[in-house]
Amino acid sequence: MIAFLGMGLLGSNFTRALLAKGNQVNVWNRTAARATALAADGAKPFENAADAVTGAEYVHIVVKDDAAVDAVLEQARAGFKPGTIIIDHTTTSTEGAIQRTKYWAEQGFAYLHAPVFMGPQNALESTGFMLVSGDQRLIQAVEVHLATMTGKLLNFGTEPGKAASMKLIGNNFLVAFTAGIADTLSLSRSLDVPFDDVISLFENWNPAGMVKGRIQRMASGSYSQPSWELNMARKDTGLFIKATEAAGMPQIIIPTIAKEMDKWIEKGHGADDWTIIGHDSIVNPKKK
């Protein structure tokens, strides 16, 4: 039997998918109505988290943050049986994942952090990506179970917090990527270019293939053989800003990037590759 704690968009669709595969699933949610709604799909709802996990081999949880994970698991622990495996899909801090792994081991239970790059539809269809790291014997023991829930299970090795770190890195990219799209669409509106034409551009010119090479170049710290000089990149950035300001269409991140470019140009790096703007944070970080 499986217990699932947290019936948000991901949790509810994970539950529906598990039920469709013939599993018995007990469910709990802080707002009880969300758990009760899953009864129509065959889940067994409970008002108390400890009752929901009683007898469960796997206890899955996906809630808001570190504090919520800790609070809900403490509520549920009275129902854990010997051998219960806790599988946490919540996006949390790396430190939190490490601390929970240690804490629950001391309590006699296995805890595995398994965050996901999956939307609600992915959870329902068992597609997308699930990340794990830590005790490889534990991962091997739950691999078949987790593989039924996702399109691809990514194992990042023996560090307990590595999966949490990789999830945060991925989400950081998604946030920056989305802000970049917003700025791009702001420019397209400023230039009276229909969004359909923007879509057509990216259907034919796909910059996704540049990501790996760009990361490698920026991580190397070598900028002396530019593919796009900083001076020229700054010139183009000025055109973006001029066009959007003239149209009254503010941008989110481009003005900040322009200021960082100016800083490096003032240092004498205008003829270097424009990726030098990330040097201090990537190659030469000033850690406390």
Side-chain angles (χ1 to χ4, degrees), residues 42-137:
K44 189 174 182 180
F46 288 83
E47 293 184 2
N48 185 285
D51 292 338
V53 305
T54 298
E57 178 181 4
Y58 300 113
V59 174
H60 292 265
I61 181 170
V62 54
V63 288
K64 182 182 179 181
D65 53 22
D66 286 284
V69 174
D70 291 336
V72 172
L73 290 180
E74 285 298 333
Q75 293 174 37
R77 68 180 299 170
F80 293 163
K81 69 176 185 179
T84 291
I85 298 173
I86 305 164
I87 303 173
D88 180 10
H89 304 291
T90 309
T91 299
T92 69
S93 66
T94 300
E95 295 81 3
I98 294 171
Q99 292 168 3
R100 274 184 291 278
T101 301
K102 180 180 178 181
Y103 174 79
W104 286 106
E106 291 171 347
Q107 308 308 306
F109 301 102
Y111 168 93
L112 180 66
H113 191 224
V116 299
F117 291 119
M118 299 168 68
Q121 193 63 28
N122 295 118
L124 185 62
E125 297 172 350
S126 302
T127 58
F129 298 85
M130 186 177 292
L131 288 53
V132 292
S133 68
D135 185 339
Q136 295 298 297
R137 289 176 298 179

Side-chain angles (χ1 to χ4, degrees), residues 14-210:
F14 269 134
T15 297
R16 291 185 178 99
L18 288 167
L19 290 166
K21 293 178 176 67
N23 296 286
Q24 178 186 344
V25 186
N26 291 354
V27 296
W28 172 91
N29 193 75
R30 183 170 296 172
T31 303
R34 289 188 175 184
T36 303
L38 271 295
D41 296 283
K44 189 174 182 180
F46 288 83
E47 293 184 2
N48 185 285
D51 292 338
V53 305
T54 298
E57 178 181 4
Y58 300 113
V59 174
H60 292 265
I61 181 170
V62 54
V63 288
K64 182 182 179 181
D65 53 22
D66 286 284
V69 174
D70 291 336
V72 172
L73 290 180
E74 285 298 333
Q75 293 174 37
R77 68 180 299 170
F80 293 163
K81 69 176 185 179
T84 291
I85 298 173
I86 305 164
I87 303 173
D88 180 10
H89 304 291
T90 309
T91 299
T92 69
S93 66
T94 300
E95 295 81 3
I98 294 171
Q99 292 168 3
R100 274 184 291 278
T101 301
K102 180 180 178 181
Y103 174 79
W104 286 106
E106 291 171 347
Q107 308 308 306
F109 301 102
Y111 168 93
L112 180 66
H113 191 224
V116 299
F117 291 119
M118 299 168 68
Q121 193 63 28
N122 295 118
L124 185 62
E125 297 172 350
S126 302
T127 58
F129 298 85
M130 186 177 292
L131 288 53
V132 292
S133 68
D135 185 339
Q136 295 298 297
R137 289 176 298 179
L138 172 60
I139 292 171
Q140 185 176 14
V142 301
E143 186 173 8
V144 172
H145 171 62
L146 294 182
T148 66
M149 298 175 63
T150 186
K152 189 167 186 178
L153 186 66
L154 302 178
N155 186 341
F156 287 99
T158 59
E159 297 179 35
K162 192 66 171 290
S165 296
M166 299 306 292
K167 169 62 173 174
L168 293 177
I169 289 167
N171 277 10
N172 184 96
F173 180 86
L174 291 177
V175 170
F177 176 67
T178 300
I181 291 175
D183 280 4
T184 299
L185 295 180
S186 175
L187 179 60
S188 75
R189 288 189 65 186
S190 300
L191 299 173
D192 294 323
V193 174
F195 291 164
D196 285 346
D197 288 343
V198 178
I199 293 171
S200 177
L201 169 65
F202 288 105
E203 284 178 339
N204 290 280
W205 172 64
N206 184 1
M210 302 178 188

